[in-house]
Amino acid sequence: MPLPLFHLAIPRTPRLVRPVLLLFLASVVCPRIARPQSKPQYPRNDTQVWTDVEATHSISDHVRLNFNGGLRYGGDAGHLIYHRGGIGFGYTVHKHVILAPFYNFYATDSTPVKSAHENRLGLAVTLTTSLGKWGLADRSQIERRFLASGNTFRYRNRPEIERAFKIGKQSLRVFLWDEVFYDSGAKAWTRNRAAIGVGKTLSHRLAIDVYY
């Protein structure tokens, strides 16, 4: 007969005391061996608020200094899940070619048990042209990511098309873009995101985009 893992002897006690003692012991032992049901790491739906700020200072006719930052509130906009800050330069090599080296720092807190910090060096090359009334742009960006889990390279490509039009006296623009990501750590194309929407310039300091 196999030996028990442990043996617990309960002395003789009154009838009402003994069940209470057993219940107390069970409440102490069971939480140590019980396994809670796993919960999904990310919510299926979430409302977020994103705020991005950029300041630009012209050094010359072809060179500008850029400062950028960003905040994101998630959990139905209940707490800060992301913040970013960085610096970079923009070089207008040609009226259709812009080079932009940059450095950014990222901190994310997507879940209560998952947070990460990242330093990123990168270079973006943007090509622009026009085709009739359509404006065309293509941004290729390579990034060196310094992560706690290891350093990787990531390549991103984002073509975009837009066109200005009018509805009555309202000047609007329609745009469409698609961006794909390749990650050297996964050795695969890991992400694809796209957007289509309409934008309007309200003043020289304020514009609004509505998109899906």
Side-chain angles (χ1 to χ4, degrees), residues 59-64 90-93:
I59 299 176
S60 68
D61 292 340
H62 302 287
V63 181
R64 68 178 186 272
Y91 298 93
T92 304
V93 180

Side-chain angles (χ1 to χ4, degrees), residues 10-63:
I10 300 177
R12 293 181 178 274
T13 56
R15 292 184 178 180
L16 292 178
V17 176
R18 191 170 183 177
V20 173
L21 183 58
L22 288 172
L23 181 61
F24 171 76
L25 291 173
S27 66
V28 173
V29 175
C30 289
R32 297 183 180 180
I33 60 176
R35 295 182 178 178
Q37 294 181 352
S38 61
K39 295 182 179 180
Q41 188 177 10
Y42 298 99
R44 290 183 174 271
N45 301 288
D46 189 19
T47 299
Q48 298 186 357
V49 177
W50 295 16
T51 302
D52 293 305
V53 178
E54 183 173 351
T56 301
H57 174 70
S58 295
I59 299 176
S60 68
D61 292 340
H62 302 287
V63 181

Side-chain angles (χ1 to χ4, degrees), residues 82-101:
Y82 165 103
H83 60 272
R84 182 195 80 245
I87 185 173
F89 291 90
Y91 298 93
T92 304
V93 180
H94 186 270
K95 65 178 181 178
H96 298 302
V97 181
I98 300 174
L99 301 180

Side-chain angles (χ1 to χ4, degrees), residues 8 14 21 44 63 72 82 84 91 95 104 113 120-121 133 143 198 204:
L8 180 64
L21 183 58
R44 290 183 174 271
V63 181
R72 296 181 188 176
Y82 165 103
R84 182 195 80 245
Y91 298 93
K95 65 178 181 178
N104 282 333
V113 296
R120 190 181 301 177
L121 292 173
K133 296 182 178 181
E143 303 167 338
V198 177
H204 69 285

